[in-house]
Amino acid sequence: MIAGDVQVWVATTPIDMRKSFDGLIAIVENFLQRDPQSGHLFVFRNKGGHLAKIIWRDAQGWTIHYKRLDVGVFHFPHDGTTAVTIGREALLDLLAGKPVKII
């Protein structure tokens, strides 16, 4: 369960999905200009749109969630910025391959 004060940040630009912990942390810091240790979730997709990764840090350490859709693509929101915030319900829709709206 995602705590109430946790934000979900969705990167609007595709990334190289070969990146793991350190590479994703660097993207959060340098490209998204966010604090990766904030406890917020950071969501990324590949150029083809069928792969997604989420990185977050909790009290015990770092976690990556990686998902590949068998059919279709992830419908990431976009507003011209490097990252947008979505709600927890929207994250579930996004991971199910449904379009989501920006908060």
Side-chain angles (χ1 to χ4, degrees), residues 9-29:
W9 288 95
V10 177
T12 58
T13 302
I15 66 159
D16 178 352
M17 287 307 227
R18 295 174 291 183
K19 295 191 182 304
S20 190
F21 293 96
D22 294 335
L24 294 174
I25 291 166
I27 290 173
V28 172
E29 290 175 329

Side-chain angles (χ1 to χ4, degrees), residues 35-70:
D35 177 8
Q37 297 193 43
S38 63
H40 300 314
L41 280 74
F42 299 94
V43 187
F44 304 93
R45 67 175 166 86
N46 70 327
K47 189 173 184 178
H50 68 289
L51 301 174
K53 280 188 180 180
I54 302 171
I55 188 167
W56 77 94
R57 179 172 172 78
D58 64 15
Q60 289 77 39
W62 294 97
T63 303
I64 291 178
H65 176 81
Y66 194 9
K67 184 166 183 178
R68 178 181 70 191
L69 291 176
D70 291 333

Side-chain angles (χ1 to χ4, degrees), residues 2-4 6-10 41 43 54 77 84-95 100-103:
I2 302 171
V6 172
Q7 296 175 350
V8 179
W9 288 95
V10 177
L41 280 74
V43 187
I54 302 171
V84 297
T85 305
I86 62 172
R88 291 174 288 189
E89 295 296 322
L91 175 61
L92 296 175
D93 286 344
L94 180 112
L95 293 175
V100 298
K101 294 183 180 182
I102 300 170
I103 294 178

